[in-house]
Amino acid sequence: MPPAVPHDARPARWRLAGGPALALLAGCQLLLVVDASIVNVALPSVQRGLGFTDAGLSWVVNAYTLAFGGLLLLGGRAGDLLGHRRVFAAGVAVFTAASLAGGLAASPGWLLAARAAQGAGAALAGPGSLALIATTFEDGPRRSRALAVFSVAGSAGMVVGLVLGGLLTAWASWRAVLFVNVPVGAAIVLLAPRVLRESPGREGRFDVAGALACTLGSTLLVYGFIRAAERGWNGGLTVGAFCGAAVLLALFPAIEARAAQPVLPLRLFGDRDRVGAFLMRLLLTSAMSGMLFFLTLYVQRVLGYGPLATGFGFLPTTAALIAASRAVPRLLPRYGPQPVMAAGAVLCAAGMVWLTQVSPTSSYVTMILGPVLLFGAGTGLVAVAATFVAMASVPAGESGATSALLQSMQQIGGSLGVAVLITVNGAAARGGSQVDGMRGAFTAGVAFTAAMLVTALLGFRRRSGGHGRSGGQERSGGHGRSGSQIWRRSSEK
């Protein structure tokens, strides 16, 4: 296996390819996240076109989410062992071919199979896209900016999907929301060998037992949340899925401790800041996914907006997210992750508390615009900071596993948030009106944002010395360098 190429020994063309490489990787991340939400607006047209039942229609979204979330850890480890560019390109190719097949679907089963294949391709491509940033950009401001752009692309994807889905469905047909992936995906596959440097693979075997345990356990966990959102928490399949997930995920650490090449190295959990970043990502996505789900319903059912106007109504979220994210590379080296994430959590909580005041007579300007701006700014701070912290000082050859775990938190959090808020909405609506149910859902969302704030205050090491210096000599990831040292060095370059 060829040795890793030192940063200062790379050919000049790799150092000059940062712009195209970043556009390719961030574009791929945006594409994968967009596809989780782009079909939402098109679902009524899909139902009319292919004859889906009401129960089956939800699986147009769930088939993608289930495959994506369940296979992420396996996809990340495959990149660590085989080379991230190779696995990344293969994943995008599978995703693109499945998008074409889905656009041509002539029956419900055909479309669902294509959506599951899209999710499998996304699970291969997603971890590699973040891991490749580490092999393309040198430590310092350039990598910091690249991580910020990548994080924004992922966080904004859910909102962009709503807008793009509305445009394509209104101007063309539901098939366009799948066909649009084909030229973009084909371009990424063709350009990847030209602008991305391959990461060195590692000798070793796949951890088959660990891969099965984490894949089946993650899949059952995501399915349990999906089922709970659809049928409640007491159904036999829901309880069975959660029990199966609990058993497999409880066995997983014991399997990994014995594996020579574990699919998820347990030492990644040895850094307190990294664990806090994973938890922040889980809670943020739980709150954001539930908020977007019910705000979409409120804007259409109560305010009477059409799908296209609804999508555009969320654009301020993306604008605020981008504006806040630009400050994170400057704030982290100076203050460390704790105050940055705490500030983001406070903004998200303020936006969610504001939404608990919705009423049938509220307007977009008085009740929607302010909360989505606050939530967008908070998301920009938390999402970018969490990505920086999670990827700081990752041991060589484990960036794929770390990236996959971070993105798994996003997928599991999204399913958890929707399931919990739907449950609370149903209970509140039974004792009142549709808007009462939504107020109850947003109140549950406040709990997620409050948990974010508690995690930000208690889950990270305090910094001292003015530039993010750690108060002690704590080791991180086996390298003896804390994330704060990485940020300090980046700011000094």
Side-chain angles (χ1 to χ4, degrees), residues 135-448:
T135 64
T136 304
F137 298 91
E138 296 180 359
D139 248 350
R142 293 179 72 243
R143 184 181 293 182
S144 296
R145 287 192 291 269
L147 285 172
V149 171
F150 182 91
S151 300
V152 168
S155 299
M158 287 187 285
V159 177
V160 173
L162 294 174
V163 177
L164 189 58
L167 285 171
L168 293 173
T169 304
W171 293 348
S173 75
W174 67 265
R175 297 181 187 274
V177 304
L178 296 167
F179 285 143
V180 72
N181 298 328
V182 176
V184 180
I188 291 174
V189 172
L190 292 173
L191 291 173
R194 298 176 181 271
V195 300
L196 298 177
R197 174 182 177 270
E198 179 62 284
S199 62
R202 300 182 67 187
E203 294 183 359
R205 299 178 179 179
F206 276 109
D207 172 19
V208 177
L212 287 174
C214 78
T215 299
L216 292 176
S218 299
T219 301
L220 286 172
L221 184 61
V222 174
Y223 175 77
F225 287 131
I226 291 172
R227 187 79 183 179
E230 292 181 340
R231 304 292 178 88
W233 296 80
N234 297 323
L237 284 176
T238 303
V239 174
F242 282 133
C243 289
V247 171
L248 289 168
L249 295 177
L251 291 173
F252 183 60
I255 296 172
E256 297 304 273
R258 295 184 166 194
Q261 292 280 356
V263 69
L264 181 61
L266 297 181
R267 60 178 166 268
L268 293 178
F269 296 97
D271 184 277
R272 175 178 170 181
D273 285 357
R274 184 177 293 122
V275 173
F278 291 147
L279 185 55
M280 288 294 289
R281 192 65 181 178
L282 174 76
L283 294 168
L284 173 66
T285 313
S286 297
M288 187 175 186
S289 62
M291 181 202 73
L292 288 176
F293 180 86
F294 280 99
L295 265 189
T296 301
L297 295 179
Y298 177 80
V299 170
Q300 293 190 67
R301 292 181 180 178
V302 179
L303 299 186
Y305 284 35
L308 188 56
T310 299
F312 279 110
F314 290 114
L315 281 181
T317 307
T318 304
L321 192 155
I322 293 172
S325 69
R326 290 174 62 86
V328 175
R330 297 189 301 273
L331 295 174
L332 272 180
R334 185 176 181 87
Y335 300 108
Q338 187 180 62
V340 174
M341 293 206 197
V346 168
L347 290 172
C348 290
M352 197 70 82
V353 169
W354 193 338
L355 287 173
T356 62
Q357 305 305 307
V358 295
S359 72
T361 59
S362 299
S363 69
Y364 174 84
V365 173
T366 61
M367 188 51 62
I368 308 299
L369 182 59
V372 299
L373 286 171
L374 288 170
F375 214 97
T379 298
L381 294 176
V382 173
V384 176
T387 302
F388 277 33
V389 175
M391 299 303 293
S393 194
V394 173
E398 294 175 359
S399 57
T402 309
S403 171
L405 185 56
L406 185 65
Q407 294 184 42
S408 292
M409 294 298 100
Q410 181 171 332
Q411 292 300 313
I412 293 171
S415 300
L416 169 64
V418 172
V420 170
L421 265 64
I422 283 178
T423 302
V424 175
N425 169 78
R430 281 194 293 271
S433 66
Q434 176 181 234
V435 175
D436 290 330
M438 293 180 182
R439 277 199 294 266
F442 292 132
T443 301
V446 173
F448 282 116

